[in-house]
Amino acid sequence: MVGAVGIVAAADGAPVTNAARSEFVTAKKTHFSRKGQAYYIVGANFWYGGYLGAPSGVGERARLLKELDTMKATGINNLRVLAVSEKTDMKSAVSPATTAKPGEYDENLLVGLDFLMAEAAKRDMTVVLYLNNFWQWSGGMTQYLNWFEGTPALDPNVTKDYDDYMKKNARFYVNAAAQKEYRQVIAKIVKRVNTITGKPYSEDPHLMSWQLANEPRPGNGKATKEEKAAYVKWIDETAGYIHSLDRNHMVSTGSEGLAGSAHDAQLFLDAHRSKHVDYLTYHLWPKNWEWFDSRNPEGTWDNAITKSRDYLNSHIELAKKLGKPIVLEEFGLDRDGPSFSIKATTRIRDRFYKEVFDVVYTRAAKGDPIAGFNFWAWGGAGRAANADYWWKPGNDFMGDPPQEEQGLYSVFDTDTSSLKLIKEYGDKLKSLKAPAR
Ligand SMILES: O=C1NC[C@H](CO)[C@@H](O)[C@@H]1O
C-alpha cells in the first residue's frame, strides 16, 4: 500500500521506509530526534484544538487558523490535544463529546481532529493526542465506569471528595468491559484515515505520540499494592496495544510524575519502564498541590519555588535512570490578584514561567534527558463569557477546561509578557543540539 506521500507501508501498518522514518519524532536513547536533528519541545496545551476544527456545530475554523498562526509566531512547535471525549451528564464536562455512548461516535468532532492535524502539519507543528482523561472535564474514566459499572459519573466539583473520586476511578483499569470499549476507541482513532489529507494517522509524521490519558493516576495517595500493580499492567498492555496498531509513533502515559503516582518513585519508574512507553512525562502544579497560595504570594513563593525546582530536577534524574527522554508537558500558575480576569497582570506567573524555563533550558543544555515543555494552557483569543467565569455550552473554549474558572491558567493572546518569555526561551531550547553520544 502506498501512503499519501509515497511512503511504502505494509497494509498491517508496518513501519514506513527508513528514509521516511526520520520524519517521525523518535526517542534516541535519552533525546528526541526528528529529521536527523535533535528535537526539543516548545509546546502548548491546546486541549480543544480538535473542537475548533470541527466543520459544523462547535467548530470555529477561522479562529483555529488564527490561534495556530499566533502560536507559530510565538515559536510553539508542539501541541498537546484531547483526541476524544465521552458524553456525560456532569456539569463540569465539555459538550458535545466524541463518544455519545459506547460504539457511537461524533464524526463532526473526529473530522475536527483531522482538520487540526492537517493545519498543524502545514505549520510544521507536532501533536500529542491523549485518548482518555483521569479527570471528569471530558467525561473520561468516570464516564466509562458509569457506562459499564452503572455507578454515577463522579464530578469532584460536586462531591468535593477527590480522594473518593480517585480511588473509584482506578477501577477503570480493571473493568474488562470498559477496557474493551476504550480499546475500540483507541483502534478507531489510531487506525483512522485523516479525511482532510487522506493520510492514515499512523503514517502522519506530525503526530508525535499517542498518549494513554490525561494525568492517569493509580488511585488516590493511599493506592494499594494491588492498585499500583493494576496501573502498571494497564500502562504496559495498553501502550503495547497501541504499538501493535501503529509501529511508527511513540506512546506516552500522560503521567504527572510523583504527584500522580502516589508519591511513589518506584511506581513512577515501574510505570515507565515498559518497552512500550517511549518517554516519560510530568506536570508541575504548585497551586493545585498547595505549595503556593496565590492569596499570599509573598508568604508562599519561596516554599513553592524550592519545591518546584526539586520536582523539576528530580524527575530528570528518574528519566536518567530509565534512559528515556522526559517532557514537562503541563505547568501553570494563576494571574496576579489572584484574578480570573484577562485584565489582571501576570507578573507572578511570568516569574514562575521563567524559573521553570531556566531549569529546563539549563538541564537540556547540559545534555540531560529533559526534552522540553508544554505550558498549560493556550487561551489565545478565547474570552470568558460569564460573570462567574464558569463555562457553559456555547461559550468560547480556552485553556481552562469546564471544570475550572475560565481564565484560571489560560495564556491569552494579549498576555504579551508571557508570550515573550515563551518565545525567548523556546528559541534558546530549539537551538540546542543533542549531546554527542
Ligand atoms: O490535566 C490537567 N492538569 C491541571 C490543569 C489545571 O488545574 C487541569 O485543568 C487539567 O485537568
Side-chain angles (χ1 to χ4, degrees):
M1 176 176 84
V2 176
V5 287
I7 295 175
V8 175
D12 66 357
V16 292
T17 59
N18 284 338
R21 187 97 188 88
S22 72
E23 296 290 306
F24 290 74
V25 184
T26 54
K28 292 250 185 301
K29 292 189 182 165
T30 58
H31 285 69
F32 288 147
S33 172
R34 180 174 185 254
K35 298 181 182 178
Q37 302 284 323
Y39 188 62
Y40 286 93
I41 304 299
V42 175
N45 275 278
F46 190 45
W47 66 268
Y48 55 98
Y51 275 76
L52 294 185
S56 64
V58 288
E60 286 183 82
R61 287 183 168 182
R63 180 186 165 197
L64 176 59
L65 301 185
K66 182 166 166 259
E67 302 291 14
L68 292 173
D69 289 342
T70 310
M71 284 191 263
K72 182 74 179 173
T74 309
I76 290 164
N77 67 1
N78 175 270
L79 305 172
R80 180 168 175 261
V81 176
L82 175 74
V84 58
S85 49
E86 294 72 35
K87 186 173 181 177
T88 180
D89 297 336
M90 291 185 285
K91 211 162 66 77
S92 304
V94 65
S95 62
T98 321
T99 304
K101 62 182 182 189
E104 197 178 301
Y105 310 106
D106 181 334
E107 187 60 20
N108 186 51
L109 289 178
L110 290 171
V111 171
L113 203 59
D114 296 345
F115 186 84
L116 170 79
M117 292 303 293
E119 290 300 324
K122 287 179 187 172
R123 294 160 180 82
D124 201 29
M125 292 172 164
T126 59
V127 183
V128 174
L129 292 178
Y130 47 97
L131 296 156
N132 204 329
N133 197 344
F134 188 76
W135 307 113
Q136 83 282 24
W137 54 263
S138 58
M141 294 178 191
T142 191
Q143 183 50 48
Y144 274 91
L145 290 172
N146 172 249
W147 285 328
F148 295 103
E149 257 189 0
T151 47
L154 293 173
D155 182 346
N157 280 5
V158 174
T159 64
K160 308 292 182 204
D161 187 343
Y162 271 93
D163 262 1
D164 177 61
Y165 173 86
M166 294 188 280
K167 182 159 187 68
K168 287 179 178 162
N169 234 17
R171 294 202 304 249
F172 168 77
Y173 305 124
V174 293
N175 182 304
Q179 290 303 309
K180 186 164 177 281
E181 169 59 18
Y182 172 55
R183 287 199 174 195
Q184 183 168 308
V185 168
I186 288 174
K188 184 170 181 64
I189 295 178
V190 173
K191 292 174 19 181
R192 183 173 175 85
V193 176
N194 189 312
T195 56
I196 308 286
T197 63
K199 186 187 295 184
Y201 275 64
S202 63
E203 290 176 25
D204 183 350
H206 287 94
L207 175 64
M208 173 175 143
S209 95
W210 298 108
Q211 190 164 91
L212 303 189
N214 176 52
E215 301 201 332
R217 293 190 175 194
N220 61 32
K222 299 182 285 295
T224 64
K225 200 155 62 57
E226 293 72 24
E227 287 167 333
K228 291 177 179 179
Y231 174 71
V232 171
K233 183 168 180 285
W234 172 76
I235 288 174
D236 177 53
E237 291 180 350
T238 308
Y241 174 63
I242 295 172
H243 276 300
S244 75
L245 301 174
D246 173 354
R247 294 182 208 168
N248 296 320
H249 289 104
M250 300 191 292
V251 177
S252 56
T253 63
S255 171
E256 302 152 271
L258 268 62
S261 307
H263 298 285
D264 177 345
Q266 192 56 51
L267 174 62
F268 180 66
L269 288 170
D270 293 345
H272 291 84
R273 201 183 304 282
S274 163
K275 67 173 188 278
H276 301 308
V277 175
D278 297 285
Y279 65 95
L280 290 75
T281 64
Y282 70 134
H283 303 177
L284 175 61
W285 289 105
K287 174 184 166 116
N288 292 1
W289 299 342
E290 300 181 353
W291 299 347
F292 180 71
D293 178 353
S294 43
R295 289 157 310 191
N296 175 21
E298 292 73 26
T300 57
W301 170 265
D302 290 347
N303 174 59
I305 213 63
T306 301
K307 287 182 175 168
S308 295
R309 286 185 189 129
D310 176 59
Y311 200 82
L312 288 167
N313 284 302
S314 58
H315 285 76
I316 296 171
E317 295 311 312
L318 292 172
K320 272 187 187 171
K321 280 204 169 104
L322 292 185
K324 297 182 181 179
I326 187 166
V327 178
L328 175 69
E329 56 168 30
E330 284 189 20
F331 62 93
L333 207 62
D334 44 354
R335 310 178 78 89
D336 299 334
S339 170
F340 306 122
S341 167
I342 195 169
K343 297 191 181 73
T345 51
T346 59
R347 270 191 296 279
I348 298 173
R349 181 178 78 186
D350 290 346
R351 194 174 159 204
F352 172 64
Y353 270 40
K354 190 175 177 313
E355 289 279 350
V356 170
F357 293 150
D358 279 338
V359 172
V360 169
Y361 178 72
T362 305
R363 295 296 302 267
K366 278 169 55 185
D368 287 330
I370 177 73
F373 63 83
N374 296 72
F375 63 89
W376 182 281
W378 187 258
R383 296 296 181 264
N386 307 308
D388 65 1
Y389 292 98
W390 287 102
W391 183 85
K392 293 186 177 68
N395 292 162
D396 279 357
F397 293 118
M398 62 173 74
D400 308 294
Q403 94 289 6
E404 284 167 327
E405 293 84 352
Q406 303 295 286
L408 177 62
Y409 292 124
S410 286
V411 177
F412 294 107
D413 53 8
T414 50
D415 290 339
T416 46
S417 58
S418 304
L419 299 178
K420 186 165 169 292
L421 269 177
I422 294 162
K423 179 80 169 68
E424 177 194 331
Y425 275 87
D427 287 352
K428 282 173 67 175
L429 197 57
K430 288 184 288 188
S431 70
L432 291 177
K433 300 282 171 274
R437 256 187 288 284

